[in-house]
Amino acid sequence: MLPHPTLSDQYGTEAAKPEFVDRLFDKGAKHYDGIVDWGFLRSGAGYRKWVQERHGLKKGDHVLDVACGTGLVAVEAAKILGTAENITCLDPSAGMLEVARTKLPARFVQGRAEAMPFPDNSFDFLTMGYALRHVADLDTTFREYRRVLKPGGKLLILEVTKPASRVGNFLFRIYFGRIYPFLSGLFTRSRDARDMMRYYWITMDACVPPASVLDALRGAGLTEVKRTAMLGLFSEYTAVKPPA
Ligand SMILES: C[S@@+](CC[C@H](N)C(=O)[O-])C[C@H]1O[C@@H](n2cnc3c(N)ncnc32)[C@H](O)[C@@H]1O
């Protein structure tokens, strides 16, 4: 299942999407942290820590942060674990990884969620922050998550989801569709930053609904599949690899 229909006016065909997305994040990398900081009213770091604590990340866990980007999720995981020693960060964008490497002494690997260079049964806890829309295929990605998790291991996927109410949806569209990309370009004086946030919006708008994500997680053989939505907006998808 595609995470959203093909956006032919953005990247042409599905085959061209990975290169298009990599270029977008490579170019926008140096602006990403600043934009996310003010764009989410400085709540990002606190939320990323709180959500991992709430969903059971604990000292001693071996963690895989898929689509680590500039390391925003992994940095908060390291605070909970008390070390970055057992954290592996994966991302296809060299630009994003370059920024992340300056922040924590974790293991960094360039790669994609759909085909990860890790052995089976490697991790206790797998996170993915705000990147589900960028993978080529949900079923392949979730089967891969199941493969690399240890039996009983947990995954936590964070996403921003369009609100169901009409008013919420209207405000969401104005903010993420217009104000956020415009201000991102204005504050950074960078077209790359604006384009990155415009694409952020386009993919959020086109993303499959939560029920489809939950179905794909179940279809990959994961159990205890759930979605919690903070303010109806911040989706937290969790699932567990069945014990052996
Ligand atoms: C919006 S950033 C999210 C960064 C970070 N996780 C956070 O919480 O802010 C999306 C990231 O997904 C990465 N990405 C894009 N396609 C991917 C794929 N197929 N597999 C893994 N990561 C991917 C991008 O390179 C980018 O760093």
Side-chain angles (χ1 to χ4, degrees), residues 17-18 21-22 25-26 32-33 36 48 65-73 90-94 96-97 111-114 128-136 141 145 158 196 200:
K17 174 176 158 177
V21 173
D22 289 356
F25 284 107
D26 278 345
Y32 184 78
D33 286 0
V36 170
R48 282 174 177 80
D65 183 28
V66 182
C68 66
T70 59
L72 296 181
V73 173
L90 178 106
D91 200 285
S93 160
M96 296 295 262
L97 284 172
R112 295 186 186 284
E114 305 87 321
M128 182 187 221
Y130 312 106
L132 195 56
R133 294 158 274 132
H134 305 315
V135 301
T141 301
Y145 287 178
L158 308 176
M196 181 171 66
Y200 195 91

Side-chain angles (χ1 to χ4, degrees), residues 212-231:
S212 302
V213 177
L214 295 170
D215 281 348
L217 286 167
R218 284 187 206 103
L222 292 152
T223 56
E224 299 180 42
V225 173
K226 280 187 205 119
R227 171 180 177 249
T228 318
M230 297 296 301
L231 310 171

Side-chain angles (χ1 to χ4, degrees), residues 56-75:
L57 178 64
K58 58 186 185 314
K59 279 191 172 38
D61 278 354
H62 284 74
V63 176
L64 173 61
D65 183 28
V66 182
C68 66
T70 59
L72 296 181
V73 173
V75 162

